[in-house]
Amino acid sequence: MATMRFSTNLEFNGCLANLNSPYSQPKSSLTNSFLCVQAPKCLSGNESIQFSVKPRGFGRMGVGSSLPKRISRVEAKEGLTYKDAGVDIDAGTELVRRIAKMAPGIGGFGGLFPLGDSYLVAGTDGVGTKLKLAFETGIHDTIGIDLVAMSVNDIITSGAKPLFFLDYFATSRLDVDLAEKVIKGIVTGCQQSDCVLLGGETAEMPDFYANGEYDLSGFAVGVVKKDSVIDGKNIVAGDLLIGLPSSGVHSNGFSLVRRVIERSGLSLKNKLPGGDVTLGEALMAPTVIYVKQVLDIISKGGVKGIAHITGGGFTDNIPRVFPDGLGAVIYKNSWEIPTVFNWIQEAGKIEDGEMRRTFNMGIGMVLVVNQEASQRILNDNHGSQSAYLIGEVAEGEGVRFL
């Protein structure tokens, strides 16, 4: 996951114990259920240990009870976390905090630059370690869609219409046929976004990348009238949350995904357990580009805030659009979670809170709307333009799942 300078992630630190594991886990959730009192990080040899956990909040155990258990090293298998996979959100947050001192005003999904009666809105991103899966699967013709999506989906959160996109393609030795496939995906992404591929940069840097590998980045610029900017300032308790479905993992959390694949022992060519496609195909599904759907919804009125659900998941991204003092209540069973997420959680033994803070869980964009707009959007719900009522705005900061 790349740390965006436009984003400011919040970390809620806790130490939770997995009911299926004797290990303590660094956790990030507003719905922590178990506070770890004593739980060694690792075991050695064949020794067994005695440990207990005390519940906090709405756990599965009765309030005030404890769970003593003896577990051998053979039985113990720690649930994975994003930090275990090498992504330190705390470090990224600290960097953003320092940058904010030098460049005050950052913090949204996109950067706004005043120009007459409008704002230019810019966003930049890459596709992270999803590229690793592109190299392994040989699927290169859709990774460009992901690249465009990550930037244009950010700038439409302000209500901006994308104008143009520029890309950066870097490799050690230029494979023209492979590069053409990648650029073809970028062109497709721009077409889906109604924006122009204005140009880009192709960098050939011998010895810098492994043979056959490359890196991608890009940025998009859009425009919105100053009096039409969506900034969340008018959001109030009682407003509703409309979720737009994702195609799967999109382009975040792949460092953790790759660790789960290693643990599972499956190949990307194996069929996704419970699915009808291969694991590689499910994970490489291109990110949904929401530009046309979202701009159409905005044009009909009632949209107060928009959150692009990327790294940080529900827990970090939805609160970014709220005024101080407000939070979200999410209806957990209000949409169908794609099979790929169920497999990731089961194979990686990942806690619910970690899943919700790392992945989009089947919802790629969340719109904060008034009651009237909610009804209209849900009534217009059909085909690929599907939408779900997934929650509401409530007093009190944070995200709760009911």
Side-chain angles (χ1 to χ4, degrees):
M1 185 187 89
T3 300
M4 294 293 297
R5 294 186 181 185
F6 294 137
S7 66
T8 303
N9 295 313
L10 300 176
E11 178 83 11
F12 298 90
N13 292 317
C15 182
L16 304 193
N18 186 332
L19 287 177
N20 299 314
S21 168
Y23 301 126
S24 64
Q25 300 180 48
K27 289 297 296 180
S28 306
S29 174
L30 292 173
T31 56
N32 290 350
S33 299
F34 298 96
L35 177 62
C36 176
V37 177
Q38 179 183 355
K41 183 63 180 173
C42 62
L43 299 172
S44 60
N46 294 316
E47 64 185 302
S48 61
I49 58 165
Q50 183 83 22
F51 80 102
S52 63
V53 293
K54 293 182 179 179
R56 181 180 70 185
F58 301 93
R60 298 182 208 170
M61 301 185 295
V63 176
S65 65
S66 62
L67 178 65
K69 189 174 182 181
R70 299 184 69 85
I71 300 180
S72 71
R73 185 174 186 271
V74 176
E75 297 172 316
K77 197 167 187 179
E78 184 177 6
L80 293 174
T81 68
Y82 209 9
K83 190 171 184 178
D84 291 337
V87 178
D88 188 343
I89 296 178
D90 283 336
T93 302
E94 172 61 18
L95 178 59
V96 171
R97 186 189 68 80
R98 295 185 188 187
I99 294 172
K101 290 182 177 181
M102 299 179 281
I106 68 171
F109 288 96
L112 278 65
F113 183 84
L115 186 67
D117 63 351
S118 301
Y119 285 109
L120 293 180
V121 184
T124 185
D125 212 333
V127 295
T129 58
K130 187 172 187 175
L131 282 173
K132 288 285 190 182
L133 271 67
F135 305 150
E136 293 180 37
T137 61
I139 300 174
H140 300 283
D141 56 346
T142 57
I143 199 74
I145 298 175
D146 292 300
L147 182 66
V148 176
M150 295 305 291
S151 289
V152 296
N153 285 345
D154 271 352
I155 67 175
I156 61 171
T157 62
S158 298
K161 181 192 181 304
L163 296 175
F164 59 84
F165 183 85
L166 287 94
D167 72 273
Y168 175 81
F169 178 95
T171 186
S172 285
R173 184 182 66 82
L174 183 60
D175 180 331
V176 176
D177 291 336
L178 186 152
E180 182 183 21
K181 291 179 182 179
V182 175
I183 302 302
K184 180 181 178 182
I186 294 174
V187 170
T188 300
C190 288
Q191 291 171 342
Q192 293 180 11
S193 308
D194 266 346
C195 72
V196 176
L197 177 58
L198 197 60
E201 170 72 6
T202 301
E204 193 168 21
M205 300 183 290
D207 305 322
F208 199 81
Y209 300 96
N211 186 41
E213 297 189 356
Y214 55 87
D215 199 8
L216 287 175
S217 63
F219 75 86
V221 173
V223 65
V224 61
K225 294 289 186 182
K226 287 182 177 178
D227 58 5
S228 299
V229 171
I230 295 174
D231 55 18
K233 291 181 180 178
N234 296 323
I235 294 174
V236 297
D239 284 336
L240 300 176
L241 305 180
I242 299 294
L244 306 183
S246 70
S247 59
V249 183
H250 281 184
S251 301
N252 293 96
F254 276 88
S255 295
L256 181 53
V257 167
R258 291 185 298 110
R259 189 65 64 87
V260 171
I261 295 172
E262 291 175 5
R263 170 175 285 192
S264 74
L266 293 182
S267 161
L268 292 173
K269 295 180 180 179
N270 289 134
K271 185 177 179 181
L272 170 68
D276 54 6
V277 297
T278 68
L279 183 57
E281 289 169 338
L283 293 171
M284 287 300 295
T287 305
V288 175
I289 291 178
Y290 297 99
V291 172
K292 294 178 181 179
Q293 182 181 9
V294 169
L295 291 182
D296 178 62
I297 292 173
I298 291 173
S299 70
K300 298 173 183 176
V303 178
K304 298 183 176 184
I306 306 175
H308 184 198
I309 309 303
T310 56
F314 281 66
T315 307
D316 285 2
N317 286 298
I318 296 177
R320 289 168 59 187
V321 304
F322 292 154
D324 291 344
L326 296 180
V329 174
I330 302 296
Y331 312 144
K332 289 190 294 186
N333 299 318
S334 56
W335 76 94
E336 184 177 352
I337 296 176
T339 302
V340 67
F341 292 113
N342 295 326
W343 175 79
I344 289 170
Q345 182 167 23
E346 182 177 348
K349 300 186 182 299
I350 304 172
E351 294 281 354
D352 287 347
E354 190 74 13
M355 290 292 295
R356 294 166 182 161
R357 192 172 188 244
T358 304
F359 302 108
N360 65 62
M361 301 304 294
I363 297 294
M365 192 75 76
V366 174
L367 284 67
V368 186
V369 303
N370 60 31
Q371 299 274 349
E372 180 182 352
S374 171
Q375 194 62 49
R376 183 185 65 247
I377 294 168
L378 296 175
N379 287 341
D380 290 344
N381 189 8
H382 58 84
S384 61
Q385 302 296 303
S386 56
Y388 303 96
L389 175 60
I390 66 166
E392 62 187 87
V393 180
E395 298 287 350
E397 297 182 352
V399 179
R400 290 171 285 159
F401 293 82
L402 299 178

